[in-house]
Amino acid sequence: MKKMASSNVLVVGMKGLGVEIAKNVALAGVKTVTIYDPAPTEIADLGTQFFLREEDVGKPRAQVTAPRLAELNSYVPVKLLEGSGEITSEMVAPYQVVVLTNATIAKQVEINEFCRSKGIYFIAADVRGLFGSVFNDFGKDFACVDPTGENPQTGMIVEVDEDEEGMVTCLDETRHGLEDGDYVTFSEVKGMEGLNGCEPRKVTVKGPYTFAIGDTRGLGQYQTGGIFTQVKMPKILQFKSLKESLTQPEFFLTDFAKFDRPDTLHVGFQALSAFYEKSGHLPRPRNAQDAATVISLAKEIQSAAGGEAELSDKVLEALSFQATGDLSPMVAVIGGFVAQEVLKACSAKFHPMQQNMYFDSLESLPKEPPTEEDCQPVGSRYDGQVAVFGKKFQEKIASNKQFLVGSGAIGCEMLKNWSMMGLATGSNGIIHVTDLDTIEKSNLNRQFLFRAKDVGKFKAESAAAAVADMNPELKGKIIAHQDRVGPETEQEYGDEFFATIDGVTNALDNVAARQYMDRRCVFYQKPLLESGTLGTKANTQVVVPFLTESYSSSQDPPEKSIPSCTVKNFPNAIEHTIQWSREAFDALFVNPPTTVNLYLSQPNFVETTLKSSGQHHDQLKQIEKYLKTDRPMSFDDCIRWARLQYEKDYVNEIKQLLFNLPKDQVNSNGTPFWSGPKRAPDALKFNIDNPLDFDYLVAAANLHAFNYGLKGERDPALFRKVVESMTIPEFTPKSGVKIQVNENEPVPQGDDNEEDLDAIVASLPPPSSLAGFRLQPVDFEKDDDSNHHIDFITAASNLRATNYGITPADRHKTKLIAGKIIPAIATTTALAVGLVCLELYKIIDGKNELEDFKNGFVNLALPFFGFSEPIAAAKQKYGETEWTLWDRFEIDGNPTLQEFLDWFKNTHKLDVQMVSQGVSMLWSAFVPPKKAAERMGMKMSELVEHVSKKPIPPWTKNLLVEVMVDDENGEDVEVPYCLVKI
């Protein structure tokens, strides 16, 4: 970020692609963004350039764009480069990175040669319809400091051989995760101390738990312990000039199914430039004569360069047909990618693309290609899209009805693309968008529809208003909701709602909500577009009824959790101590005040709630402490409480642990207990002059004061005065205390002595004596730097890390882990949404073959693009009938149970053995005859209410009923669920 903040970036060309790049770079945070484009705005520019308005037509593009671009990030000045005509070499001299868009090949070569001579990083990019191209030149000897962006691998070692090979054996709990050519250094090694802090050593992987580091002779005899840490080594990269690359390109593949396409597109884009320089205009939409000229020029260019690859006339023709096309989804894909390349040039973080990239989505074209007449411009903002898809398809886009779930980072980009595409702008079109969140300051770095003035407002409303401003044809066409999607909102989003939409697009940030919407789409047989990002990584998935599997058909493996015994007694990594401190935060400032408030507000809380919970001992003790023994009357009392809490957690608990398990403890096999992942701790000694001890005291005392509504303090003199007046009781270890040594052992519980508990209950002040008194539980908020939340977790974690000899973490790293902050950047989001919208074109067209669609997997850091066909919906069979998750039985008229069973027997020759709805068993072959006879005459809706003892909500029109059946031969067969219309 510091390197980026000293970089001045110039973006030339302010059509859709240029502004997309500039937008993403400005959001990321460079020193300055300068833009250049003196050409007058045209009406067609409004189809991709989201910062232009109809009243800007005729005005210089850059001039009207600059002030709107500047609103994105108050820390990044946006400057306007003055001038007229084409960019010149002298104009680009002051910048560290130059990006050319919409420029001829000759101009690109001229500027690249100058940039190369001055050490300026150069990128050229272009979008032509469903085709995009990018070229990078970062000069000679570009040092990439972190090619992958992944966290360095680290792990514990148990053996190092003292020989020529230097074999290192790791703890067999986790794989080392290293690759050949990685570098590592070591710490905490005993015996072979020469490895500690050594110069990075190159790794040769020998197995998942072993690797070699070369000659270790003379470094000492390995005894025990040690941690390896991967060291990111700079990678030196060589770039060719554009002039050289025109004849000797180095291709970066974006789709391995199109491995032969870059050769054709490499000369195809040169042919387009040559056509423009000859004719003064680009090839006309779907004009066969112009396409023939482009094909001829391409072959001449290839022949002159000595190229031998076979060119595809079909691809060259498509490129010519679409040369005047300008599509918002393509602009998003290429713009997101190029912006990340700009940031790589500025920061040297992540591996740059080398060197020529060509991307296309020809499969997004309609099944019935438009005619030349259908693609002619009509003076509309959609002319760039019409040039590719035709006017008839534009009408289909305008008539589409979409439900967007979420309007955060992905949602904002989605709405921007839809507004540029003209989605739902027709008389029948509509967009519903829902998001219950309000805008936070931290959203502004990637949720680009929001500004600082919007903080606190509802996301859906603000986003809808922003895109209606971008495209006034959307006014009245976007309906914003503030609802969470889930069972509790099925009244709003039920049968009638889903009957009015064509599809659903998810822009969600959690798996549970994604799975819920997926189930709804399967139930209502609607297509679903799904996407997600994680830092530089993104994935997109398209779900098509009766064709593909659903989102929930496959699942990621569960996140690896830290064993509770590791967190409680045997931490060996900073992540363990951060989790411990996060749990301590809740245990001290959230849970006890909540329990106290329940005791004060709920009649008979102890008898009706606590005693039935099985944890009443701990909770009664909490109530006693927080209402009676530890209740502070002043802030001084809060300081005393914090000092005693420090003594308990970082001194007494550690002494007790070492009393139970001394440092010389051995296992039953004679090996030391404190070895491998188990690090022997040391008790701390409080020192108010130690900044860490003081930070803990301030944060803990202020949070405790908050619980009781007392005014906090930060004055060091006050803390010193109170602490120095205290006498800390000497700790005596207790016998009989149980320690959880491994995950399989039960967690030790409190002593449930009923006599003690009754005595505690008797001693508590009755709730009636504290009428109106309530404690204030802390509501964890990671983004407020003044509330002591992250301060406490950082100090508490680092104190515990000091106990165990673990390297502490700074406040920023602690906040990332404790706050579970998901890395998110605008570049990845823009690209992912572009890919989703390319699939939306296909859904609108009604494509119905698996090979028509693509699921995408992208990592901009490497960079890597991977595409695959969606997985087909799994087929099952009963009798001769095949079915998938999209199929179901449907019965009208709310039949009786008897009619329901007869329908299966007579229509499908299936004997029903069991009928259930949700968790309710409605009927089975084993139900007693009397009960079965009672139910046979009941309507299905009546039966469901009878068994579940709950009324069916009045808005429910259908019941999902599951059946277990036998076929004619008495064999169990799996069949779809049944939809009973009531």
Side-chain angles (χ1 to χ4, degrees), residues 540-558:
T540 63
Q541 181 179 355
V542 57
V543 177
V544 183
F546 304 103
L547 185 65
T548 72
E549 67 173 13
S550 74
Y551 171 80
S552 305
S553 298
S554 56
Q555 294 182 12
D556 292 333

Side-chain angles (χ1 to χ4, degrees), residues 51-272:
F51 283 148
L52 295 178
R53 306 291 178 263
E54 286 188 23
E55 58 268 24
D56 299 325
V57 171
K59 299 174 187 173
R61 279 193 206 107
Q63 185 181 309
V64 292
T65 300
R68 291 163 191 160
L69 196 56
E71 291 177 0
L72 288 174
N73 190 341
S74 58
Y75 299 102
V76 178
V78 174
K79 300 182 178 180
L80 185 64
L81 181 61
E82 299 293 341
S84 59
E86 286 192 299
I87 193 81
T88 64
S89 299
E90 295 72 28
M91 294 165 78
V92 307
Y95 304 97
Q96 281 74 53
V97 186
V98 172
V99 183
L100 286 194
T101 67
N102 204 34
T104 62
I105 298 291
K107 179 55 69 175
Q108 291 176 28
V109 169
E110 175 199 329
I111 300 298
N112 175 241
E113 290 296 309
F114 177 82
C115 288
R116 198 170 169 84
S117 71
K118 301 293 183 185
I120 300 168
Y121 304 126
F122 173 87
I123 302 173
D126 219 348
V127 168
R128 298 290 166 200
L130 288 164
F131 297 91
S133 76
V134 182
F135 170 78
N136 277 354
D137 178 8
F138 293 177
K140 295 177 183 175
D141 300 328
F142 179 82
C144 175
V145 297
D146 183 358
T148 67
E150 299 296 327
N151 289 328
Q153 299 288 350
T154 185
M156 293 187 155
I157 61 175
V158 294
E159 186 65 55
V160 184
D161 294 344
E162 188 185 2
D163 57 21
E164 192 174 351
E165 188 179 38
M167 180 75 78
V168 178
T169 305
C170 300
L171 198 67
D172 60 5
E173 285 186 351
T174 52
R175 295 166 179 260
H176 54 63
L178 297 169
E179 297 177 3
D180 283 343
D182 286 344
Y183 285 78
V184 295
T185 189
F186 296 86
S187 59
E188 301 183 28
V189 177
K190 290 178 183 168
M192 196 178 279
E193 274 85 2
L195 278 182
N196 291 331
C198 66
E199 286 295 310
R201 285 176 165 255
K202 194 172 184 179
V203 165
T204 303
V205 172
K206 298 295 183 180
Y209 306 101
T210 55
F211 58 89
I213 56 170
D215 199 340
T216 55
R217 290 172 295 185
L219 295 177
Q221 180 70 41
Y222 176 85
Q223 292 174 8
T224 184
I227 295 172
F228 79 83
T229 304
Q230 183 186 2
V231 179
K232 296 291 184 90
M233 302 294 284
K235 184 177 180 182
I236 307 303
L237 304 174
Q238 304 297 331
F239 287 80
K240 292 185 279 196
S241 69
L242 176 57
K243 193 174 189 178
E244 193 179 349
S245 295
L246 289 177
T247 54
Q248 297 173 9
E250 183 178 346
F251 293 131
F252 167 71
L253 273 179
T254 58
D255 190 341
F256 294 96
K258 302 174 180 177
F259 68 92
D260 55 347
R261 200 160 286 181
D263 285 302
T264 297
L265 292 177
H266 185 63
V267 292
F269 271 88
Q270 293 177 63
L272 282 188

Side-chain angles (χ1 to χ4, degrees), residues 901-921:
L901 301 176
D902 291 346
W903 183 83
F904 272 93
K905 179 77 174 169
N906 300 331
T907 310
H908 297 283
K909 297 183 173 54
L910 296 171
D911 286 318
V912 176
Q913 298 299 310
M914 190 170 73
V915 183
S916 60
Q917 201 270 333
V919 296
S920 300
M921 172 78 70

